Amino acid sequence: MKLFGRQAETAALDELLNRAADGAGSALVLWGEPGIGKTALLEYAAEAASGAVVLRCRGTQMEAGLAFAAVHQLLWPVTDQLDLLPAAQAAALRGALGLGRDETELFRVGAAVLSLISRLAQVRPVLVVIDDAQWIDEASAHCLGFVARRVAGEPVALLVTGHQDPAGGPWEGLPAMHVAGLAEDDARELVADVIPGADRELVERTVAAAGGNPLALHELPTIKPESEALTPLGRPADPPLGPRLKRAFTGRAAAMTPPARALLLLAAAEDRGDRDLVHRAGAEWHVGPAAWDEVLRSGLVRASGTRLEFRHPLVRAAVYEATPFLQRQAAHRALAAALPVEAEAERAWHLATAADGPDEDVAKLLEQTAEQCLRLSAGPIAARTLRRAAQLSPQPDAAGRRLAAAARAAWQGGDAELARELLEEAEGLSGEIAVVRTSGGLRGILEFASGRPERAHRYLVGDMSEVAETTRAVQLGTVAVRAAWSAGRPDLQQEALEQVRGLPLDDEPALAALLPVLRNWWACYDPDGRESPVRLDFSGETVTRLSGAAWELLPPVPLVQAWGVEGDLLDVLRVQAEQLRRRHELAGLAMVLSQTAILDTAAGRWDAAQAAASEGLPLAQEVGADHVATQFHGTLAALAAPRGQERAAAEHIDHILRVSLERGVRALSAAAYWHRGRAALFAGRAQDALVDLECLAKPGHEAAHPSTAVTASVDTIEAAVQTGSTHIAEANLVLLAEWAQRSGATWARAGHHRSRAIMDGGPQAEELFRAALEEGLGGSPFEYGRTRLLYGEWLRRARRRADARLELGGAAEIFERLGAQPLRVRALRELDLADGPAARRAPDSAAGLTAQELRVARLAADGLTNREIAAQLPISPRTVGHHLASVYPKLGITSRGELARINFEDGLRLGPAGD
């Protein structure tokens, strides 16, 4: 195939095909404006892939609303291979292709397509060609994007073309190449090839008008200009390329006979490439063989077997848009009449496109199509379909009902902004109560996800009595309790909790098996303490049932952690996340991932927590769930603090507070203060830490929150002890002791023992430290390491160096494994001190500093005050001053300013001012 100026692109395609032939599959997205030559590059690749199986599909505007239409087109030639797949995958794929009635899950369809292509690739390499991806239906796009990311170990090459940069869409993360316009010299060569012997004026005029667009370079020289149709030479301002090409294509079509123009219109309106359908509709319009010959000879349309396609989508667009509406309307109706009986979705869309006013029959057809889309996990398509159904609804109540259903589909599909917009439209037509009933109380869920929790509570509590199903009322009530907890309002929490408990739960089959677990979780919210939750060990059957339940029934992880009853919740969340992925319910998936990340962080699975946050944060941002996105920032701050990444922690905390303070989400504000306090505490700035941590229990403070105050009390006590704030330490010890007694949570009992040990400091401390270690700190390796560090420091001060080394070494190993660098450094410094006086000389220090003097000097050079240094080592502030008085003459300096310029890594030399 002859191409001009595409050396870089063809080289990339050759490399892609060669890698695939060697078993190292990969994908490439070619993107650029219409007519830029992307399809020509696909043809080059198809020709170059000699001996490979080539599977093709092309997106069309008409099929963009039909779930799995592109997958159907791609795999239709190989459907005889479906029997080779595992039964579950084969059934899912048959359902997606319309060959069976099995319920379709997006994840399973993606896995089935991947398995099928992999099996084909065992015989011959496979080239998958996806043209005009911007018009591919959403379900197919996500499915094929899933496949594209998983062909690395297969002899498979996958090529995608589209108009836009793939970042942010279903092809995000795939290698991409922008296909730009041709350089002027290459453009001249192409025009000369299209029109051999063309005069220079024609060539230069075409090159100037086309702007490097190969399609324009092909078409414009062959069309006689209409007076001033092309920009005259020398005129600097040209109209956009698109309109000129459309005028050019329209001019060619206008010269055809009426039957040929009618056939072109039918083909443009059909937009799927179904030659048989166009033929049947054309026959009703008395379009005969002569018209078919004329159209095919024009070169505007190509036919191959049962397929019919325009040479380029711009040709179809030009023909369609230049035709008056009444003629387009007639074409869509003719196509709808020619469709087979079972093609309900296609008929609905043709009739909807033809409609110029309300039509209840068409609206019902669209509603049925939307239900089918929802069964195929195609929520966004369902939302658009229902919105069009509402536009065609003669009665306001029916329009409002369909808009409310569209809002729920949009939310499930991950578009909170569209869901809110549709709800507002629906309420304007049929009123709030009717919309609540149809949408299942969606307004409260949306408010909970991104608005003010107190308002969400009000909506949810009120809507519990309006929804028809008890299960849905329980879900709304549970989220209402959770919203009140987020707002830090125990009174509202109790109000919602009483309503949930007052529902007729025992008679609800869907909830009966889960009630013991649900009631146990609800007890976590009870501020009066009439009921206390207990730790439950979930059976496999219970995990399965819970993982299939709605995310709305799950409790906030920080609350169940405070009670120590998180149990097997992580297993439930992980299974539920996989199910939500398969159903493509993005909003629920983001919610579940945020909770999973919190549990992984506490359990010391920091890499897993980071991965969950990295996946969930952009997802939450994409679906418009602001508070869920903020929770992910909280997880990232919680990970950054012990790692010593203070700048990263501060950025995440600032983001949290920008959202949470304005909207009154006290649970998030409290978490931000806690993470900031911990970051300062681990960095040795106990005073800064205490400023943030003591706010958590201050009535009326913007960050005051009962649950967070309890779980952070261990850190507050440590900061208070280091700064000598005895009254704060004692108040928080009382709070922690009461909670340990009420909840019986392992972390609280262990934290209470540890806190008493560091406050006591005397002989009794050892027994308390050992009691804390025996509790195990609630399964948190990081907190276990902190206890060993504090115990080791106490042992070292008691001159029990061998015992100290054992605890400090164990703590250092834990911190090294977790990546908790600040506390690892602290543990190693203590180990150095535990080695005894003989080892306290810094061997490379010409100044003769002792290890303790060197340690004090480093901390002072970092800007810590005498009190902060004393708290970290720990020694008295007076002893710090004594050490610094010895350090200054040994280093030949006289101030802290000069100390900050000392290079501690290179012979303790004084650097120049300003370094």
Side-chain angles (χ1 to χ4, degrees):
M1 185 175 188
K2 194 172 185 180
L3 297 174
F4 297 87
R6 296 302 189 201
Q7 290 81 5
E9 290 85 350
T10 55
L13 294 176
D14 290 339
E15 182 182 357
L16 182 86
L17 295 172
N18 290 335
R19 287 203 308 269
D22 293 335
S26 57
L28 179 64
V29 180
L30 301 171
W31 67 279
E33 67 182 35
I36 205 65
K38 304 182 295 295
T39 301
L41 290 168
L42 293 184
E43 294 300 327
Y44 169 87
E47 290 183 12
S50 58
V53 175
V54 180
L55 301 176
R56 300 171 182 261
C57 65
R58 179 178 69 86
T60 64
Q61 288 175 301
M62 179 57 70
E63 291 197 352
L66 303 177
F68 295 111
V71 171
H72 184 282
Q73 186 184 152
L74 183 78
L75 299 182
W76 192 252
V78 293
T79 51
D80 59 336
Q81 304 291 312
L82 293 183
D83 290 335
L84 300 178
L85 297 177
Q89 291 186 359
L93 191 48
R94 284 195 179 93
L97 298 178
L99 301 175
R101 296 185 176 274
D102 292 79
E103 186 173 343
T104 300
E105 294 178 350
L106 191 60
F107 178 86
R108 187 165 288 172
V109 174
V113 174
L114 179 62
S115 296
L116 181 57
I117 291 174
S118 298
R119 286 182 179 275
L120 294 173
Q122 291 174 4
V123 180
R124 285 191 292 162
V126 175
L127 172 62
V128 178
V129 173
I130 305 167
D131 202 5
D132 286 332
Q134 72 278 355
W135 289 321
I136 280 181
D137 64 279
E138 203 154 356
S140 291
H142 284 288
C143 173
L144 295 174
F146 172 92
V147 172
R149 295 181 185 88
R150 288 163 175 81
V151 296
E154 306 281 354
V156 176
L158 193 143
L159 289 173
V160 183
T161 70
H163 290 173
Q164 303 295 329
D165 186 334
W171 315 105
E172 184 175 14
L174 297 180
M177 173 177 281
H178 180 226
V179 182
L182 298 178
E184 288 192 359
D185 287 345
D186 296 319
R188 292 187 184 96
E189 286 186 37
L190 193 156
V191 174
D193 186 73
V194 172
I195 308 292
D199 61 72
R200 182 175 179 181
E201 181 182 352
L202 174 61
V203 172
E204 295 300 326
R205 185 174 68 238
T206 302
V207 170
N213 186 288
L215 180 62
L217 292 166
H218 265 283
E219 301 297 336
L220 293 176
T222 67
I223 301 170
K224 184 178 179 179
E226 301 176 7
S227 59
E228 295 297 322
L230 290 180
T231 303
L233 291 175
R235 181 176 174 177
D238 286 329
L241 181 60
R244 280 204 308 274
L245 284 175
K246 290 176 183 177
R247 286 199 299 271
F249 297 138
T250 304
R252 176 174 292 186
M256 294 181 176
T257 62
R261 290 201 304 273
L263 182 59
L264 273 178
L265 173 59
L266 285 170
E270 195 277 333
D271 193 32
R272 297 173 60 229
D274 189 336
R275 184 177 181 179
D276 292 339
L277 176 59
V278 174
H279 190 279
R280 290 195 300 272
E284 292 297 317
W285 279 10
H286 308 292
V287 172
W292 278 95
D293 289 342
E294 183 180 355
V295 167
L296 295 176
R297 278 189 284 104
S298 73
L300 295 178
V301 176
R302 295 190 294 250
S304 176
T306 61
R307 304 301 298 169
L308 189 69
E309 62 179 3
F310 285 87
R311 187 173 64 230
H312 192 278
L314 281 179
V315 180
R316 190 209 67 82
V319 170
Y320 187 81
E321 293 174 15
T323 305
F325 171 74
L326 290 178
Q327 294 179 32
R328 296 202 304 265
Q329 184 183 54
H332 284 292
R333 286 174 175 166
L335 290 163
L339 282 164
V341 175
E342 65 271 12
E344 295 177 354
E346 293 90 338
R347 180 178 298 102
W349 273 111
H350 279 298
L351 293 176
T353 306
D356 56 359
D359 191 321
E360 179 62 19
D361 291 336
V362 176
K364 285 181 178 177
L365 279 175
L366 289 173
E367 197 167 16
Q368 293 168 8
T369 300
E371 291 171 359
Q372 181 182 355
C373 289
L374 289 172
R375 286 195 296 270
L376 296 173
S377 301
I381 299 175
R384 290 194 293 271
T385 305
L386 286 164
R387 192 174 204 176
R388 179 58 176 154
Q391 292 168 351
L392 296 178
S393 301
Q395 300 301 321
D397 287 348
R401 174 176 57 77
R402 286 162 178 153
L403 285 171
R408 192 163 182 176
W411 167 245
Q412 290 174 353
D415 194 335
E417 183 177 352
L418 177 60
R420 279 189 288 270
E421 180 183 328
L422 291 168
L423 277 184
E424 289 179 9
E425 292 181 26
E427 288 174 358
L429 290 170
S430 55
E432 286 187 2
I433 300 304
V435 170
V436 165
R437 291 169 180 164
T438 304
S439 69
L442 181 60
R443 63 175 181 172
I445 299 296
L446 289 171
E447 191 68 25
F448 172 73
S450 57
R452 301 187 66 85
E454 290 188 22
R455 185 187 301 150
H457 170 272
R458 186 172 70 252
Y459 286 157
L460 292 161
V461 168
D463 294 348
M464 287 173 64
S465 60
E466 299 297 339
V467 295
E469 299 177 354
T470 302
T471 298
R472 186 58 181 170
V474 172
Q475 293 169 4
L476 296 182
T478 303
V479 180
V481 182
R482 188 168 175 175
W485 176 83
S486 296
R489 291 288 305 273
D491 55 331
L492 297 182
Q493 205 169 294
Q494 185 66 31
E495 174 191 339
L497 188 61
E498 288 177 1
Q499 287 211 32
V500 173
R501 287 172 169 166
L503 291 169
L505 305 176
D506 295 312
D507 299 331
E508 188 64 27
L511 291 175
L514 298 178
L515 280 180
V517 178
L518 295 179
R519 285 178 170 142
N520 194 59
W521 284 339
W522 294 338
C524 295
Y525 291 108
D526 192 344
D528 296 334
R530 290 176 298 178
E531 294 185 38
S532 294
V534 296
R535 184 180 180 90
L536 298 177
D537 293 323
F538 297 163
S539 66
E541 184 179 359
T542 302
V543 169
T544 301
R545 285 175 176 164
L546 285 169
S547 60
W551 66 263
E552 289 94 335
L553 293 174
L554 301 180
V557 163
L559 179 61
V560 293
Q561 284 180 319
W563 280 95
V565 294
E566 60 269 34
D568 300 312
L569 182 57
L570 183 60
D571 293 335
V572 173
L573 290 171
R574 284 181 172 160
V575 175
Q576 193 168 67
E578 288 306 312
Q579 293 182 349
L580 290 166
R581 283 192 187 95
R582 287 199 295 270
R583 297 198 300 267
H584 205 59
E585 293 182 16
L586 302 182
L589 176 59
M591 293 273 190
V592 169
L593 286 175
S594 70
Q595 303 300 289
T596 302
I598 296 172
L599 285 172
D600 280 328
T601 301
R605 293 182 291 268
W606 290 1
D607 290 342
Q610 187 86 33
S614 298
E615 177 187 2
L617 177 57
L619 181 61
Q621 292 169 333
E622 178 185 342
V623 304
D626 294 350
H627 296 336
V628 182
T630 305
Q631 286 178 344
F632 283 117
H633 281 289
T635 293
L636 294 171
L639 292 170
R643 287 170 169 167
Q645 300 165 349
E646 287 196 79
R647 178 175 296 181
E651 290 175 355
H652 291 300
I653 289 164
D654 288 345
H655 180 93
I656 296 170
L657 294 176
R658 281 197 301 271
V659 174
S660 64
L661 293 178
E662 178 186 353
R663 303 180 195 181
V665 193
R666 285 179 178 268
L668 294 177
S669 300
Y673 271 68
W674 184 20
H675 299 323
R676 188 164 62 192
R678 280 165 67 93
L681 182 63
F682 301 149
R685 301 193 315 279
Q687 188 61 54
D688 291 344
L690 190 59
V691 168
D692 281 321
L693 294 172
E694 66 174 328
C695 296
L696 302 176
K698 280 185 179 178
H701 193 275
E702 63 186 13
H705 192 273
S707 297
T708 311
V710 167
T711 50
S713 59
V714 175
D715 299 313
T716 308
I717 292 169
E718 184 173 338
V721 169
Q722 290 187 17
T723 56
S725 304
T726 306
H727 63 293
I728 297 176
E730 290 175 345
N732 275 270
L733 186 65
V734 171
L735 177 68
L736 182 57
E738 291 175 350
W739 185 257
Q741 183 172 359
R742 179 183 173 189
S743 69
T746 301
W747 75 266
R749 295 198 306 267
H752 182 243
H753 293 316
R754 186 174 87 190
S755 299
R756 285 182 59 200
I758 62 174
M759 289 178 66
D760 180 273
Q764 186 184 359
E766 180 166 22
E767 182 181 347
L768 293 168
F769 276 127
R770 289 188 176 277
L773 291 174
E774 287 174 4
E775 293 281 4
L777 271 298
S780 170
F782 179 66
E783 293 303 319
Y784 190 79
R786 287 179 68 187
T787 300
R788 295 194 71 178
L789 172 60
L790 291 166
Y791 183 28
E793 289 174 338
W794 181 86
L795 289 168
R796 197 268 305 164
R797 290 194 300 274
R799 300 184 182 279
R800 291 168 55 185
R801 295 190 177 93
D803 292 336
R805 283 195 295 270
L806 179 64
E807 297 301 331
L808 294 169
E813 288 178 6
I814 292 172
F815 297 140
E816 182 174 12
R817 178 173 57 82
L818 292 173
Q821 187 62 14
L823 294 189
R824 175 180 174 272
V825 170
R826 176 173 158 185
L828 292 177
R829 286 174 178 169
E830 286 290 332
L831 267 174
D832 177 59
L833 291 173
D835 283 338
R840 289 200 179 183
R841 294 282 175 181
D844 298 327
S845 173
L849 299 182
T850 67
Q852 187 76 317
E853 288 170 347
L854 183 60
R855 199 156 175 248
V856 169
R858 284 180 180 273
L859 294 173
D862 287 340
L864 273 67
T865 65
N866 284 12
R867 182 176 293 275
E868 289 171 333
I869 296 171
Q872 190 170 135
L873 289 180
I875 52 180
S876 70
R878 177 175 296 181
T879 303
V880 173
H882 172 76
H883 283 309
L884 287 175
S886 299
V887 166
Y888 289 168
K890 289 182 179 181
L891 297 180
I893 59 175
T894 59
S895 68
R896 284 179 182 257
E898 289 180 313
L899 183 60
R901 290 159 48 198
I902 292 292
N903 188 335
F904 287 90
E905 309 303 325
D906 187 18
L908 300 179
R909 289 192 290 270
L910 182 67
D915 279 10

